Amino acid sequence: MKKPVIVDQRQSDLAKIDVEIKRLDKLLTGKKDILAADEHQHALDQDWTMQQRLKGEISDIQELLGKQRDLRFKVELGEEPKQLPPAAPEQHRTWKIDEKLSQSAPPNYPTVSRKSLADDDSTSLDAHKAFKAYWTARWADHFRKGGLPADLKIDLEFASAVEGTIEANHYWAMARCMAIEARLDHLENQTAELEKSGVRYGGVYQRANTYRRGCVVTHLGSAWVAIKDADVGVTPQDSPDIWQLMVKKGHDGKDAR
């Protein structure tokens, strides 16, 4: 008759816990290695969505490891581990995305002439709303495809970086537009002044002649217009503040050589 096998329940429980700790340690190391490899790449080559997912998984594994080590310590002391009911699966809010908008082409900037009747506040405002709605839908769809829930919590440091970037881009673009508009106003004013003075052809440029503003001459194969009165000897190619290039000399054709 075989003797009954006496099982040391404590050692059996510890062995099972050790196996689970070893498995979690190996899984944690693998996740950390993948994250570190991606973070060492150039910023443009990094997969931000994958990094966020890995960080969440690493945090979950570390929490499980902590629980297993606490359980092992209690088993070693002879304490009876409490049987906790299984945790209910975490529920997340679903994304609310305009699917048609997220799959469409980007909206176009309104093609209206500045200061025209079509250039009113509603035109620019409606276009900006369309831009915002489109890119919001695209980014939401991007996060959803990466497996990130709509109600995922983010740290304030990351939120401040995003908001700061958006605001910086806004003010940068606004300042750039103001500089371009100022230059355009200057050119428009110059054109208006020339139109008032009347543009007329003065023939081939002669150093001995004086020229009034608005006079067009040919010089070295190019056409020049006087934006100010030109005194004797003020040549077009040497006086950009007086003469403005209107038509640049072209290349000779084959039959002209």
Side-chain angles (χ1 to χ4, degrees), residues 121-179:
D121 292 337
S122 62
T123 301
S124 298
L125 182 61
D126 291 343
H128 184 268
K129 287 180 179 178
F131 269 59
K132 182 178 179 181
Y134 171 78
W135 288 109
T136 299
R138 285 295 301 271
W139 273 103
D141 186 50
H142 173 73
F143 288 140
R144 180 178 59 181
K145 289 178 179 177
L148 301 175
D151 52 357
L152 178 69
K153 295 180 180 179
I154 61 174
D155 56 72
L156 292 179
E157 186 177 27
F158 174 74
S160 63
V162 172
E163 291 299 325
T165 301
I166 292 173
E167 190 162 359
N169 289 341
H170 169 73
Y171 282 107
W172 178 276
M174 187 167 59
R176 181 60 178 160
C177 287
M178 290 174 64

Side-chain angles (χ1 to χ4, degrees), residues 22 59 83 125 128 164 180 190 215:
K22 185 176 181 180
S59 178
Q83 298 296 326
L125 182 61
H128 184 268
I180 293 173
Q190 279 190 338
C215 187

Side-chain angles (χ1 to χ4, degrees), residues 4 55 65 112-113 124 147 153 163 178 199 222:
K55 289 177 181 179
L65 269 172
V112 295
S113 299
S124 298
K153 295 180 180 179
E163 291 299 325
M178 290 174 64
V199 177
S222 300

